[in-house]
């Protein structure tokens, strides 16, 4: 697996999202310091709203799943699986993420590549 260095942990905003271009794909990266996996990454593309906006969504929790609410039509996407909670057939690509020596790395390819609507 190859990794893409997107910057340092200081470039992220706690409990919020940012967008990075990884392998010519927009990736929404969420930094949740209190979570065991502090950095989570999914595609930035909202297939329902048909726009790259998910990094600007609001983070929350539904049924013990960390989710982001799309800023367009408010569907919730699980940050760990990419599943859309309101439309189970829709899954976003999910990227591995890690922090090493203060730098944030995102996998170059998604770990879940189920097609989106």
């Amino acid at each position: 697996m190859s990794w893409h260095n997107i910057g340092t942990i200081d470039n992220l905003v706690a409990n919020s999202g940012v967008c990075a271009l990884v392998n010519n794909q927009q990736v929404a990266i969420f930094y949740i310091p209190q979570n065991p996996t502090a950095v989570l990454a999914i595609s930035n593309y909202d297939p329902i709203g048909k726009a790259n906006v998910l990094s600007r969504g609001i983070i929350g929790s539904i049924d013990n799943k960390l989710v982001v609410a799309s800023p367009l039509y408010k569907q919730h996407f699980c940050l760990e699986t990419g599943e859309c909670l309101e439309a189970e057939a829709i899954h976003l690509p999910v990227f591995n993420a890690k922090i090493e020596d203060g730098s944030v790395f995102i996998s170059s390819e998604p770990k879940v590549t189920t097609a989106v609507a």
Side-chain angles (χ1 to χ4, degrees):
M1 175 184 316
S2 64
W3 295 91
H4 189 87
N5 184 341
I6 60 113
T8 68
I9 197 73
D10 295 332
N11 299 125
L12 303 180
V13 179
N15 302 310
S16 185
V18 298
C19 181
L21 190 62
V22 176
N23 227 14
N24 291 321
Q25 255 186 119
Q26 289 192 25
V27 177
I29 301 163
F30 299 92
Y31 178 44
I32 307 166
Q34 67 274 20
N35 193 49
T37 306
V39 178
L40 298 158
I42 61 174
S43 171
N44 194 37
Y45 186 72
D46 175 351
I48 296 167
K50 302 195 183 311
N52 287 301
V53 295
L54 292 178
S55 63
R56 292 186 270 159
I58 296 173
I59 297 171
S61 175
I62 297 177
D63 295 333
N64 293 322
K65 295 179 182 178
L66 282 173
V67 297
V68 61
S70 171
L72 295 177
Y73 298 115
K74 312 305 181 213
Q75 282 85 12
H76 299 93
F77 295 93
C78 178
L79 294 179
E80 295 178 347
T81 66
E83 173 190 14
C84 176
L85 300 187
E86 290 82 13
E88 295 177 3
I90 297 175
H91 284 79
L92 300 176
V94 177
F95 297 80
N96 288 315
K98 65 181 179 180
I99 301 169
E100 284 185 0
D101 297 328
S103 294
V104 180
F105 294 88
I106 304 297
S107 62
S108 296
E109 299 295 328
K111 60 181 177 181
V112 175
T113 57
T114 305
V116 295

